[in-house]
Amino acid sequence: MADTNKNERHVYDANLDSHSDLQRFFEGDNLVVATRFFRNAALFEQLRSMVIPNLLNSGLQGRGTLHIWSAGCSDGRESYSLAMAARNSLDDLGYQGVAVRVRGSDLSRLQIEMARKGVYRISTSDWSTLDPYRQNFEELGATIWQIASNIKGLVEFVVEDIIEAQMDAKFDILICSLVLLYYQPQYQREIIQQLVKAVRPEGFFHVAPVGRRWLKSQGFEPLPGSSLFFTGRTMEILA
Ligand SMILES: C[S@@+](CC[C@H](N)C(=O)[O-])C[C@H]1O[C@@H](n2cnc3c(N)ncnc32)[C@H](O)[C@@H]1O
């Protein structure tokens, strides 16, 4: 997206004229980087019950590695949740031999530093969601937990502006959740067109919040039965 005039990249309620303004905006505001483990329960449910089985049907085992990109990952909780869910799901289905690699990227250096540490405060109420994955955490203090090395080793983090990322079509799954809402609609669409080039033809993506009708108008197909995942494939191939 080299030709894009960066002055057109205004996020709502902020007057940003340059790339460093944009970076400062996301580094300086706790609200815009807010995240949680397994934030969208339906997304993780559909990942397990539809996306991974579909990828296995289209030859994932032969490829040997499930590649996931968590774009705009904030402090890493989304990326680690994806790694835990994918590993757990493949193991449950008997595919221990298929590796999982998650790439977490964010514009904010501070968030990526936290992500690389993988140390989080986890409250008692958070454990209701996290309990099935307790073995993936090591206790450091009263409410302080570290991501266990078996999961940490599956995830790499990079400081990167999704707008400038030029990725090969190598990802089986792309998640870009609650990132684009800060950008003007016409700019969101331009970013999505760029982002989905990183998804393999057999792969699936979730970008939110973006209208299903618009995605369909661009030729993307919803994964049958899924309210959240899309693909570039046609329904006939998926059937
Ligand atoms: C509300 S958080 C969402 C975090 C996570 N995806 C989730 O759903 O929990 C939004 C994140 O998007 C990041 N972000 C915004 N614009 C970005 C861009 N152009 N490139 C990379 N990250 C961006 C912000 O730094 C912030 O960490």
Side-chain angles (χ1 to χ4, degrees):
M1 216 174 285
D3 296 338
T4 303
N5 176 357
K6 290 193 173 156
N7 293 343
E8 288 171 6
R9 299 168 26 144
H10 294 310
V11 291
Y12 289 112
D13 301 327
N15 199 12
L16 310 177
D17 286 337
S18 69
H19 184 257
S20 49
D21 278 356
L22 185 73
Q23 206 155 25
R24 256 196 300 277
F25 176 80
F26 285 107
E27 288 193 341
D29 188 319
N30 285 338
L31 199 61
V32 296
V33 294
T35 187
R36 287 207 314 268
F37 284 109
F38 296 92
R39 181 178 201 159
N40 181 346
L43 179 106
F44 289 94
E45 213 303 290
Q46 293 181 17
L47 182 90
R48 292 181 64 100
S49 63
M50 296 178 213
V51 173
I52 291 182
N54 244 287
L55 288 166
L56 287 165
N57 281 341
S58 65
L60 174 62
Q61 190 180 14
R63 295 197 294 280
T65 302
L66 172 67
H67 289 281
I68 304 177
W69 182 12
S70 153
C73 65
S74 191
D75 69 8
R77 279 178 273 189
E78 175 181 272
S79 316
Y80 288 125
S81 302
L82 288 164
M84 290 184 235
R87 186 64 274 155
N88 186 285
S89 174
L90 285 166
D91 290 351
D92 282 357
L93 292 166
Y95 291 91
Q96 288 84 354
V98 177
V100 172
R101 298 294 304 157
V102 179
R103 179 178 195 271
S105 66
D106 202 281
L107 187 66
S108 163
R109 281 173 298 240
L110 293 177
Q111 297 304 311
I112 291 297
E113 259 173 49
M114 288 193 260
R116 286 184 180 138
K117 284 191 188 128
V119 174
Y120 302 97
R121 185 177 295 280
I122 300 180
S123 66
T124 313
S125 60
D126 292 333
W127 282 113
S128 55
T129 314
L130 286 178
D131 210 41
Y133 300 97
R134 201 177 266 266
Q135 75 279 12
N136 298 135
F137 292 87
E138 287 162 5
E139 190 167 12
L140 295 185
T143 52
I144 309 295
W145 295 76
Q146 173 155 42
I147 303 292
S149 56
N150 65 319
I151 293 297
K152 216 159 175 241
L154 308 182
V155 188
E156 62 151 1
F157 290 102
V158 289
V159 177
E160 179 183 76
D161 185 340
I162 50 173
I163 294 152
E164 285 165 1
Q166 301 278 332
M167 305 294 297
D168 295 337
K170 73 167 207 177
F171 292 96
D172 299 289
I173 300 170
L174 160 69
I175 306 291
C176 185
S177 161
L178 302 179
V179 177
L180 298 179
L181 75 169
Y182 300 108
Y183 297 88
Q184 292 173 353
Q186 82 277 16
Y187 201 59
Q188 294 178 0
R189 294 170 178 188
E190 223 182 297
I191 298 169
I192 292 166
Q193 297 287 7
Q194 175 71 17
L195 271 180
V196 298
K197 290 182 188 159
V199 182
R200 295 177 62 86
E202 310 88 340
F204 298 96
F205 65 89
H206 167 76
V207 282
V210 175
R212 284 171 69 81
R213 193 182 299 170
W214 180 78
L215 286 170
K216 284 185 185 173
S217 78
Q218 299 304 298
F220 301 118
E221 298 280 346
L223 170 60
S226 165
S227 51
L228 297 170
F229 284 93
F230 271 75
T231 178
R233 283 189 285 170
T234 63
M235 297 286 268
E236 295 79 72
I237 297 171
L238 285 167

